[in-house]
Amino acid sequence: MDHDEARTKLLDAAEALFYARGIQAVGMDAIRAASGVSLKRLYQCFPAKGDLVEAYLRRRDERWRKSLTEYVEARPPDERVPAVFDWLRRWFSEDGFRGCGFINSFGELGEAAPGVVAVVREHKDLLRDYLRALAGSEALGDQIFALVEGATVIAGITGDPAAADSSKTAAETLLRTAS
C-alpha cells in the first residue's frame, strides 16, 4: 500500500470514527484497525493524532463546502439563499447526522488544540464569506450565517431536520426586508 492509499484509508476511518464517537474517544489503534493500515504507516502519514484530526477536518471542509456549493449554484440566483437551508435539511436527514463536525471538534478539544481551532475557524470564515457573497452584503450574510449555525446546532441536538425549515423562513424574511 503506497502513502496516498494509506492516507486515504486512514482519513476515511478517522472521519467515520471521529464523527460518530468523538475525537477523544477514538484512539490511534482504533483508526489503524478500521483502516487496515499498519501502525508504522499510520505514524508515517500522521506523526501525531492532532495531525490526523486536522487533516480529517480539512478534508471534511472541502467535501462539505463543495456539496453545498454545487447544490446551491444549481439554483437561480434569487433562490440560492433559501436553497442553503434546503441543502441543510437534506444533510440533517442523513443517517448518522451528529451535528457539525467542526463545532463538535471545537467543543470537545477547545483551545487546547490550536491547530484544530485554526481549521475550525477557517471553515467557519469560508462559510461566512460564501453566505455574504450569496446574500450580496456583509451584514445580511452574517445574519444568514447565524441562522445556518443555529439550525445546525438545533438539528444536531434535537435530531429534528425541521430546524432548517424554521431558519429558511427567517432567512426569507430577512431577504424580503433587505430588498
Side-chain angles (χ1 to χ4, degrees):
M1 175 180 323
D2 70 12
H3 181 83
D4 290 340
E5 182 182 358
R7 183 177 167 81
T8 297
K9 288 181 179 235
L10 290 164
L11 287 170
D12 290 346
E15 184 162 9
L17 293 171
F18 289 158
Y19 188 69
R21 298 185 197 166
I23 294 165
Q24 293 182 35
V26 176
M28 293 299 265
D29 197 51
I31 301 288
R32 182 207 52 77
S35 68
V37 174
S38 72
L39 198 57
K40 181 180 177 182
R41 176 64 87 173
L42 186 159
Y43 283 108
Q44 287 172 343
C45 293
F46 300 103
K49 186 176 181 181
D51 298 325
L52 179 59
V53 173
E54 290 171 35
Y56 141 70
L57 289 171
R58 286 192 190 288
R59 189 174 80 157
R60 186 173 184 87
D61 166 67
E62 289 173 15
R63 289 178 172 178
W64 191 92
R65 286 187 304 108
K66 181 180 184 216
S67 177
L68 171 65
T69 301
E70 287 175 353
Y71 184 89
V72 169
E73 299 300 320
R75 307 306 181 269
D78 62 328
E79 295 176 19
R80 288 183 179 162
V81 170
V84 168
F85 297 94
D86 296 336
W87 183 88
L88 287 174
R89 188 179 223 299
R90 288 178 52 204
W91 176 43
F92 298 166
S93 299
E94 289 177 2
D95 287 339
F97 173 75
R98 293 196 62 242
C100 174
F102 299 90
I103 292 171
N104 296 348
S105 297
F106 183 82
E108 188 175 350
L109 302 175
E111 296 292 333
V116 170
V117 170
V119 175
V120 169
R121 288 183 177 151
E122 181 180 332
H123 166 75
K124 296 301 179 185
D125 288 344
L126 290 168
L127 175 58
R128 182 180 16 249
D129 290 346
Y130 178 67
L131 296 171
R132 286 172 173 172
L134 279 182
S137 87
E138 191 171 300
L140 185 56
D142 288 351
Q143 293 169 337
I144 302 298
F145 177 71
L147 291 170
V148 166
E149 292 299 303
T152 304
V153 170
I154 291 167
I157 292 170
T158 66
D160 186 359
D165 302 334
S166 308
S167 290
K168 179 181 178 179
T169 300
E172 290 170 333
T173 301
L174 286 171
L175 291 168
R176 276 193 307 276
T177 304
S179 58

